[in-house]
Amino acid sequence: MKVAVLISSRGSNMQALVKASLAEDFPAEIVTVLSNNPDAAGLEFAKSHNIPTEVINHRDFENREDFDQAISDYMESKQIDLICLAGFMRLLTPEFVNRWRDRIINIHPSLLPAFKGLHVHERAIESGARFTGCTVHIVRPEMDDGPIIVQAAVPILQDDTPDTLAARILVQEHRIYPEALKLMAERRVKIHGSVVKIEDAREDETSLTNPLA
Ligand code: GAR
């Protein structure tokens, strides 16, 4: 499976995906890392691992439709099977999402459907919830919406700040995003309406059987 990873800045999730994909038996190949931001730090990491990079700067386009069309054209030119959004902070048009239906996945730092959008850790702490976490899901036109592939739960501690909580969640993001990509590449992610069922889920696939593992 040929995969493109889209980033906007740091790209630590992209790094986790790249590292996982380098294992010999990994069923997906990351063939390009694309950023809307020419200064995204993650681009250097990709280059240093000999992964082709591309910048499509949203500022060069008059509207979202043209920007998304340019991304779509690029994906087609690279014969991409699956798009992984990894801290890609641009909203994609419904046309783009529908064009690539069931072939775009995203990571979000909360237990969706709770805390969609921005400032999630601050909002999770302020809500008084005892747990938050992270989610990898199939992308639908609504923001941070779509069938959930994998989640990990992370406790909110009494003295957590948004930064300390974000750091603990990020560790789990780096664990579950490669797992979700692997499941997609193995074509074991079966979408039934808004629900994902994993074909032949095994007990050792801990995030599937126990999101606290
Ligand atoms: C990650 O925490 C990711 O979950 C979040 O942005 C961060 C990007 O970090 N994404 C979203 O909030 C999307 N709604 P990274 O560039 O180091 O992967």
PDB file of all heavy atoms in Angstrom, residues 14-15 18-19 22 33 41-53:
ATOM      1  N   MET A  14       4.291  11.609  12.095  1.00  0.00           N
ATOM      2  CA  MET A  14       4.853  11.158  10.808  1.00  0.00           C
ATOM      3  C   MET A  14       6.129  10.352  11.058  1.00  0.00           C
ATOM      4  O   MET A  14       6.351   9.303  10.439  1.00  0.00           O
ATOM      5  CB  MET A  14       5.128  12.386   9.922  1.00  0.00           C
ATOM      6  CG  MET A  14       5.813  12.116   8.615  1.00  0.00           C
ATOM      7  SD  MET A  14       7.602  12.124   8.733  1.00  0.00           S
ATOM      8  CE  MET A  14       7.923  13.837   9.138  1.00  0.00           C
ATOM      9  N   GLN A  15       6.964  10.835  11.994  1.00  0.00           N
ATOM     10  CA  GLN A  15       8.214  10.116  12.297  1.00  0.00           C
ATOM     11  C   GLN A  15       7.901   8.712  12.809  1.00  0.00           C
ATOM     12  O   GLN A  15       8.570   7.740  12.434  1.00  0.00           O
ATOM     13  CB  GLN A  15       9.025  10.876  13.336  1.00  0.00           C
ATOM     14  CG  GLN A  15       9.537  12.210  12.816  1.00  0.00           C
ATOM     15  CD  GLN A  15      10.509  12.868  13.777  1.00  0.00           C
ATOM     16  OE1 GLN A  15      11.136  12.202  14.602  1.00  0.00           O
ATOM     17  NE2 GLN A  15      10.660  14.172  13.672  1.00  0.00           N
ATOM     18  N   VAL A  18       6.898   6.620   9.866  1.00  0.00           N
ATOM     19  CA  VAL A  18       8.060   6.289   9.021  1.00  0.00           C
ATOM     20  C   VAL A  18       8.885   5.185   9.689  1.00  0.00           C
ATOM     21  O   VAL A  18       9.248   4.188   9.049  1.00  0.00           O
ATOM     22  CB  VAL A  18       8.927   7.532   8.762  1.00  0.00           C
ATOM     23  CG1 VAL A  18      10.284   7.144   8.180  1.00  0.00           C
ATOM     24  CG2 VAL A  18       8.207   8.505   7.829  1.00  0.00           C
ATOM     25  N   LYS A  19       9.161   5.352  10.990  1.00  0.00           N
ATOM     26  CA  LYS A  19       9.987   4.359  11.687  1.00  0.00           C
ATOM     27  C   LYS A  19       9.327   2.982  11.635  1.00  0.00           C
ATOM     28  O   LYS A  19       9.988   1.976  11.370  1.00  0.00           O
ATOM     29  CB  LYS A  19      10.217   4.789  13.139  1.00  0.00           C
ATOM     30  CG  LYS A  19      11.254   5.904  13.249  1.00  0.00           C
ATOM     31  CD  LYS A  19      11.435   6.350  14.684  1.00  0.00           C
ATOM     32  CE  LYS A  19      12.255   7.629  14.743  1.00  0.00           C
ATOM     33  NZ  LYS A  19      12.056   8.375  16.004  1.00  0.00           N
ATOM     34  N   LEU A  22       9.573   1.185   8.264  1.00  0.00           N
ATOM     35  CA  LEU A  22      10.891   0.705   7.838  1.00  0.00           C
ATOM     36  C   LEU A  22      11.111  -0.768   8.200  1.00  0.00           C
ATOM     37  O   LEU A  22      12.023  -1.405   7.672  1.00  0.00           O
ATOM     38  CB  LEU A  22      12.010   1.566   8.441  1.00  0.00           C
ATOM     39  CG  LEU A  22      12.023   3.015   7.934  1.00  0.00           C
ATOM     40  CD1 LEU A  22      13.098   3.833   8.648  1.00  0.00           C
ATOM     41  CD2 LEU A  22      12.222   3.071   6.425  1.00  0.00           C
ATOM     42  N   VAL A  33       6.015  12.602   1.879  1.00  0.00           N
ATOM     43  CA  VAL A  33       5.560  13.423   3.006  1.00  0.00           C
ATOM     44  C   VAL A  33       5.271  14.803   2.442  1.00  0.00           C
ATOM     45  O   VAL A  33       6.141  15.426   1.824  1.00  0.00           O
ATOM     46  CB  VAL A  33       6.619  13.494   4.130  1.00  0.00           C
ATOM     47  CG1 VAL A  33       6.215  14.515   5.189  1.00  0.00           C
ATOM     48  CG2 VAL A  33       6.814  12.119   4.767  1.00  0.00           C
ATOM     49  N   ALA A  41       9.064  21.462  10.398  1.00  0.00           N
ATOM     50  CA  ALA A  41      10.296  20.809  10.855  1.00  0.00           C
ATOM     51  C   ALA A  41      10.353  19.351  10.389  1.00  0.00           C
ATOM     52  O   ALA A  41      11.435  18.828  10.094  1.00  0.00           O
ATOM     53  CB  ALA A  41      10.383  20.883  12.378  1.00  0.00           C
ATOM     54  N   GLY A  42       9.201  18.710  10.298  1.00  0.00           N
ATOM     55  CA  GLY A  42       9.160  17.304   9.927  1.00  0.00           C
ATOM     56  C   GLY A  42       9.714  17.004   8.548  1.00  0.00           C
ATOM     57  O   GLY A  42      10.134  15.877   8.273  1.00  0.00           O
ATOM     58  N   LEU A  43       9.742  18.000   7.659  1.00  0.00           N
ATOM     59  CA  LEU A  43      10.244  17.763   6.297  1.00  0.00           C
ATOM     60  C   LEU A  43      11.700  17.307   6.311  1.00  0.00           C
ATOM     61  O   LEU A  43      12.099  16.456   5.518  1.00  0.00           O
ATOM     62  CB  LEU A  43      10.079  19.027   5.446  1.00  0.00           C
ATOM     63  CG  LEU A  43       8.640  19.417   5.098  1.00  0.00           C
ATOM     64  CD1 LEU A  43       8.596  20.806   4.460  1.00  0.00           C
ATOM     65  CD2 LEU A  43       7.999  18.372   4.186  1.00  0.00           C
ATOM     66  N   GLU A  44      12.482  17.866   7.226  1.00  0.00           N
ATOM     67  CA  GLU A  44      13.910  17.507   7.302  1.00  0.00           C
ATOM     68  C   GLU A  44      14.074  16.034   7.678  1.00  0.00           C
ATOM     69  O   GLU A  44      14.941  15.335   7.142  1.00  0.00           O
ATOM     70  CB  GLU A  44      14.643  18.391   8.328  1.00  0.00           C
ATOM     71  CG  GLU A  44      14.832  19.823   7.878  1.00  0.00           C
ATOM     72  CD  GLU A  44      15.410  19.916   6.457  1.00  0.00           C
ATOM     73  OE1 GLU A  44      16.397  19.210   6.169  1.00  0.00           O
ATOM     74  OE2 GLU A  44      14.835  20.673   5.648  1.00  0.00           O
ATOM     75  N   PHE A  45      13.245  15.601   8.629  1.00  0.00           N
ATOM     76  CA  PHE A  45      13.316  14.193   9.045  1.00  0.00           C
ATOM     77  C   PHE A  45      13.042  13.284   7.847  1.00  0.00           C
ATOM     78  O   PHE A  45      13.758  12.309   7.614  1.00  0.00           O
ATOM     79  CB  PHE A  45      12.310  13.911  10.162  1.00  0.00           C
ATOM     80  CG  PHE A  45      12.223  12.459  10.538  1.00  0.00           C
ATOM     81  CD1 PHE A  45      13.058  11.926  11.514  1.00  0.00           C
ATOM     82  CD2 PHE A  45      11.324  11.614   9.902  1.00  0.00           C
ATOM     83  CE1 PHE A  45      12.989  10.577  11.845  1.00  0.00           C
ATOM     84  CE2 PHE A  45      11.246  10.269  10.221  1.00  0.00           C
ATOM     85  CZ  PHE A  45      12.081   9.749  11.197  1.00  0.00           C
ATOM     86  N   ALA A  46      11.987  13.612   7.094  1.00  0.00           N
ATOM     87  CA  ALA A  46      11.635  12.773   5.941  1.00  0.00           C
ATOM     88  C   ALA A  46      12.791  12.738   4.952  1.00  0.00           C
ATOM     89  O   ALA A  46      13.184  11.665   4.472  1.00  0.00           O
ATOM     90  CB  ALA A  46      10.363  13.310   5.284  1.00  0.00           C
ATOM     91  N   LYS A  47      13.346  13.910   4.657  1.00  0.00           N
ATOM     92  CA  LYS A  47      14.469  13.961   3.702  1.00  0.00           C
ATOM     93  C   LYS A  47      15.629  13.103   4.197  1.00  0.00           C
ATOM     94  O   LYS A  47      16.255  12.377   3.416  1.00  0.00           O
ATOM     95  CB  LYS A  47      14.945  15.410   3.531  1.00  0.00           C
ATOM     96  CG  LYS A  47      14.035  16.227   2.629  1.00  0.00           C
ATOM     97  CD  LYS A  47      14.544  17.661   2.517  1.00  0.00           C
ATOM     98  CE  LYS A  47      13.455  18.554   1.967  1.00  0.00           C
ATOM     99  NZ  LYS A  47      13.623  19.961   2.316  1.00  0.00           N
ATOM    100  N   SER A  48      15.910  13.172   5.489  1.00  0.00           N
ATOM    101  CA  SER A  48      17.056  12.425   6.018  1.00  0.00           C
ATOM    102  C   SER A  48      16.798  10.919   5.978  1.00  0.00           C
ATOM    103  O   SER A  48      17.721  10.134   6.156  1.00  0.00           O
ATOM    104  CB  SER A  48      17.390  12.881   7.442  1.00  0.00           C
ATOM    105  OG  SER A  48      16.389  12.432   8.319  1.00  0.00           O
ATOM    106  N   HIS A  49      15.538  10.523   5.771  1.00  0.00           N
ATOM    107  CA  HIS A  49      15.234   9.096   5.609  1.00  0.00           C
ATOM    108  C   HIS A  49      14.925   8.763   4.151  1.00  0.00           C
ATOM    109  O   HIS A  49      14.274   7.746   3.862  1.00  0.00           O
ATOM    110  CB  HIS A  49      14.069   8.696   6.521  1.00  0.00           C
ATOM    111  CG  HIS A  49      14.489   8.583   7.958  1.00  0.00           C
ATOM    112  ND1 HIS A  49      14.797   9.677   8.737  1.00  0.00           N
ATOM    113  CD2 HIS A  49      14.701   7.505   8.744  1.00  0.00           C
ATOM    114  CE1 HIS A  49      15.146   9.273   9.931  1.00  0.00           C
ATOM    115  NE2 HIS A  49      15.107   7.963   9.974  1.00  0.00           N
ATOM    116  N   ASN A  50      15.370   9.643   3.272  1.00  0.00           N
ATOM    117  CA  ASN A  50      15.229   9.421   1.821  1.00  0.00           C
ATOM    118  C   ASN A  50      13.777   9.257   1.384  1.00  0.00           C
ATOM    119  O   ASN A  50      13.499   8.524   0.430  1.00  0.00           O
ATOM    120  CB  ASN A  50      16.043   8.197   1.371  1.00  0.00           C
ATOM    121  CG  ASN A  50      17.517   8.430   1.595  1.00  0.00           C
ATOM    122  OD1 ASN A  50      18.003   9.551   1.394  1.00  0.00           O
ATOM    123  ND2 ASN A  50      18.211   7.412   2.055  1.00  0.00           N
ATOM    124  N   ILE A  51      12.888   9.924   2.074  1.00  0.00           N
ATOM    125  CA  ILE A  51      11.483   9.911   1.646  1.00  0.00           C
ATOM    126  C   ILE A  51      11.206  11.216   0.901  1.00  0.00           C
ATOM    127  O   ILE A  51      11.479  12.307   1.432  1.00  0.00           O
ATOM    128  CB  ILE A  51      10.542   9.769   2.861  1.00  0.00           C
ATOM    129  CG1 ILE A  51      10.776   8.401   3.493  1.00  0.00           C
ATOM    130  CG2 ILE A  51       9.084   9.931   2.442  1.00  0.00           C
ATOM    131  CD1 ILE A  51      10.077   8.195   4.789  1.00  0.00           C
ATOM    132  N   PRO A  52      10.713  11.121  -0.325  1.00  0.00           N
ATOM    133  CA  PRO A  52      10.446  12.340  -1.093  1.00  0.00           C
ATOM    134  C   PRO A  52       9.476  13.261  -0.350  1.00  0.00           C
ATOM    135  O   PRO A  52       8.514  12.800   0.265  1.00  0.00           O
ATOM    136  CB  PRO A  52       9.806  11.812  -2.382  1.00  0.00           C
ATOM    137  CG  PRO A  52      10.255  10.402  -2.488  1.00  0.00           C
ATOM    138  CD  PRO A  52      10.412   9.902  -1.085  1.00  0.00           C
ATOM    139  N   THR A  53       9.753  14.538  -0.383  1.00  0.00           N
ATOM    140  CA  THR A  53       8.873  15.511   0.269  1.00  0.00           C
ATOM    141  C   THR A  53       8.312  16.464  -0.779  1.00  0.00           C
ATOM    142  O   THR A  53       8.893  16.643  -1.848  1.00  0.00           O
ATOM    143  CB  THR A  53       9.633  16.338   1.329  1.00  0.00           C
ATOM    144  OG1 THR A  53      10.697  17.018   0.682  1.00  0.00           O
ATOM    145  CG2 THR A  53      10.160  15.461   2.442  1.00  0.00           C
TER     146      THR A  53
END
